[in-house]
Amino acid sequence: MKIPTFLKILLPGMGVKRWFFLSALGVAILALGVFCLLGESGARELYRILVGYLPLLWRPAVAAGLIAGGFLAVALGTGMMTRAVLRAVSPKSEGSVAQALYEARILKNAPNVVAVGGGTGLSNLLRGIKHYTANITAIVTVMDTGGSSGRLREELDVLPPGDVRNCLLALAEDEERMARFMQYRFAKGEGLAGHALGNLILVGLAEALGGFDRAIEEASFFLSVRGQVLPSTLDKVQLVAELADGRTVEGEAAISSDPAPIRKIWLSQKAQAYERALKAIEEADVILIGPGSLYTSIVPNLLVEGISEAINRARAEKFVIMNLMTEPGETTGYTASDHLRVLAQYLDLRKFTGVIVNSESPPEEILARYRAEGSEPVRDDLRGAKTFGLRVIRAPLLSVVEMEGKPTLKHDPLKLAKLLSRESKALRRSWTRWFSP
């Protein structure tokens, strides 16, 4: 059950009720001072003028109504005054005192959630979770070699900004407005065609500020990001895969586009974990693995030295979010237990709370297109030993979104976040679950 927004102001920890009662007390003291000035005879005369004509039986009811009306007037006046000030200093808040206080006090005191992954799966997850906590950390893979990110990486020797850009937008206060320019792609221009404006901004900030991590911090500030986005490493390394036919392929784009199954995957050289990412994992209340491309979005983070060890050590509740569809070559024919089998090579799944699996069937017309491209729904075979000891949480989580001009299957971010708020003890204890969409 969702509680009306205006009741947020009554939540414990908002720091409002005490000042309201202080205002009411001030009015009462002021009234007492007036009566002291009038003296006993003056007070009697004033009482006679104001209520002396009322029948005795009516007077207690009138008194109660006046007291209630006084409290209401104090609350309304204080609220409207605050709202007017809020509109002046923060137009984006639209003057909602309850919402502004809720974001400042309740969301910022909600549980620490860490999401590990990359690609559109991670950014989609963040869109839902940001309604339940402002303490979100997205730990993002930086192994991308395709598209605009790959070109920038090759030409300027920078970390690929694409996945980071998508996560920043997903956590932005006004994602829709920011996406208009951050996701804009140049249609023409030598060297510009195909580049996303957001990628160029991040790369420019990295050069101007002397580091990719500093660029993310600055971008987070002007996008009003709720939470933080961190690369898993600042080292520039490549993904390398050994395929089932014996070939070795280097580069994320080349691996994900190759139709041959993956036998083994590693990094071109050792990569040290970004220190802030390790600290976020250590302090997390909830850790989420996935959704996202298994070998090119999730596992690359776990290959970075220190990341998987930190996750295994963390006392947080841990969940795996199972992918909806297989990916041609990369996970062709993989079932849900196959995904867990791969993750178990890097993570101690015995310390995980559960695995979340979609139970809803995709529309047949969309499924036909996926099958033509070599994808199938990830088959739920999680029974007995195949669960790796995890509690299997099944729920309808499917949504269809328009991406690159065609309907695409994704997890519904709000449904997924709501499910997590019920299944996670930390999120279940938070007030945010009662006020989120």
Side-chain angles (χ1 to χ4, degrees):
M1 182 184 70
K2 185 181 176 182
I3 298 174
T5 301
F6 70 89
L7 291 179
K8 290 177 180 177
I9 204 163
L10 300 178
L11 288 175
M14 291 289 267
V16 172
K17 296 183 292 295
R18 71 194 74 170
W19 306 118
F20 166 73
F21 285 116
L22 180 61
S23 299
L25 179 63
V27 172
I29 292 172
L30 180 62
L32 182 60
V34 171
F35 272 99
C36 289
L37 283 174
L38 290 173
E40 185 178 351
S41 59
R44 286 178 182 276
E45 182 63 20
L46 182 61
Y47 179 83
R48 186 188 65 77
I49 293 170
L50 294 177
V51 296
Y53 62 90
L54 294 173
L56 288 174
L57 291 176
W58 289 16
R59 292 180 187 180
V62 171
L66 289 171
I67 292 171
F71 269 100
L72 183 61
V74 169
L76 185 61
T78 304
M80 294 305 289
M81 179 184 68
T82 309
R83 187 171 185 174
V85 172
L86 194 60
R87 275 181 172 165
V89 299
S90 180
K92 286 189 290 186
S93 69
E94 297 181 351
S96 174
V97 180
Q99 184 62 27
L101 287 169
Y102 175 77
E103 291 178 5
R105 298 296 183 96
I106 303 300
L107 276 176
K108 288 186 179 177
N109 287 317
N112 294 314
V113 176
V114 170
V116 181
T120 57
L122 177 58
S123 56
N124 200 51
L125 168 67
L126 299 176
R127 285 188 186 93
I129 291 295
K130 73 177 182 181
H131 295 288
Y132 291 83
T133 178
N135 301 312
I136 313 169
T137 300
I139 297 179
V140 188
T141 178
V142 282
M143 314 294 176
D144 193 4
T145 58
S148 170
S149 292
R151 288 167 56 194
L152 290 168
R153 180 176 187 171
E154 184 178 352
E155 293 169 11
L156 301 176
D157 190 31
V158 294
L159 288 172
D163 285 353
V164 168
R165 180 195 81 235
N166 288 330
C167 289
L168 286 171
L169 279 173
L171 292 175
E173 183 178 337
D174 190 348
E175 181 186 358
E176 186 177 355
R177 177 176 293 180
M178 294 297 105
R180 290 175 192 169
F181 67 86
M182 291 291 282
Q183 299 287 46
Y184 173 78
R185 288 189 182 271
F186 293 91
K188 56 185 178 180
E190 187 177 351
L192 278 177
H195 279 305
L197 178 57
N199 286 353
L200 298 180
I201 290 173
L202 283 169
V203 169
L205 285 172
E207 291 200 0
L209 299 171
F212 191 61
D213 53 339
R214 295 177 185 174
I216 297 172
E217 284 184 41
E218 286 301 312
S220 299
F221 177 75
F222 71 70
L223 289 171
S224 296
V225 163
R226 185 177 292 175
Q228 60 179 348
V229 178
L230 303 176
S232 55
T233 180
L234 293 176
D235 295 334
K236 297 163 187 169
V237 295
Q238 295 279 8
L239 273 179
V240 185
E242 179 187 321
L243 305 182
D245 58 11
R247 289 182 295 120
T248 298
V249 179
E250 181 170 302
E252 175 271 336
I255 294 169
S256 60
S257 63
D258 199 296
I262 295 170
R263 182 182 294 165
K264 184 181 177 184
I265 197 159
W266 64 93
L267 298 181
S268 58
Q269 60 189 57
K270 286 185 178 181
Q272 293 297 320
Y274 183 35
E275 195 61 39
R276 288 178 59 192
L278 295 178
K279 188 173 188 297
I281 293 170
E282 181 185 352
E283 296 175 351
D285 298 302
V286 181
I287 296 175
L288 307 173
I289 306 296
S293 300
L294 180 62
Y295 286 108
T296 54
S297 289
I298 298 174
V299 169
N301 292 301
L302 306 179
L303 291 171
V304 173
E305 289 194 359
I307 295 291
S308 58
E309 293 85 355
I311 294 172
N312 289 333
R313 285 195 308 269
R315 294 185 175 184
E317 298 174 89
K318 303 165 194 174
F319 295 88
V320 174
I321 302 172
M322 189 58 59
N323 286 342
L324 298 173
M325 306 293 292
T326 63
E327 297 186 62
E330 188 168 334
T331 54
T332 296
Y334 272 41
T335 64
S337 66
D338 290 327
H339 283 76
L340 293 183
R341 174 179 51 79
V342 173
L343 291 176
Q345 297 173 27
Y346 309 96
L347 300 171
D348 185 355
L349 294 183
R350 295 170 301 174
K351 296 181 179 179
F352 273 62
T353 305
V355 53
I356 294 173
V357 181
N358 169 60
S359 62
E360 189 174 358
S361 297
E364 193 57 41
E365 62 276 11
I366 297 177
L367 194 53
R369 178 178 63 79
Y370 271 90
R371 283 174 174 154
E373 295 172 354
S375 292
E376 292 276 352
V378 173
R379 184 165 61 85
D380 179 5
D381 63 340
L382 299 178
R383 305 286 189 283
K386 290 186 176 182
T387 65
F388 288 80
L390 296 177
R391 180 163 61 92
V392 182
I393 304 162
R394 297 179 174 90
L397 300 170
L398 203 63
S399 71
V400 179
V401 297
E402 194 78 16
M403 292 185 68
E404 298 178 355
K406 57 186 178 181
T408 305
L409 297 174
K410 291 291 178 186
H411 286 89
D412 185 303
L414 296 181
K415 287 181 182 178
L416 181 54
K418 193 169 188 176
L419 178 66
L420 284 165
S421 76
R422 292 199 305 265
E423 298 297 334
S424 161
K425 292 179 181 177
L427 288 170
R428 199 160 59 232
R429 288 193 296 265
S430 173
W431 281 103
T432 56
R433 69 181 290 237
W434 299 104
F435 293 92
S436 298

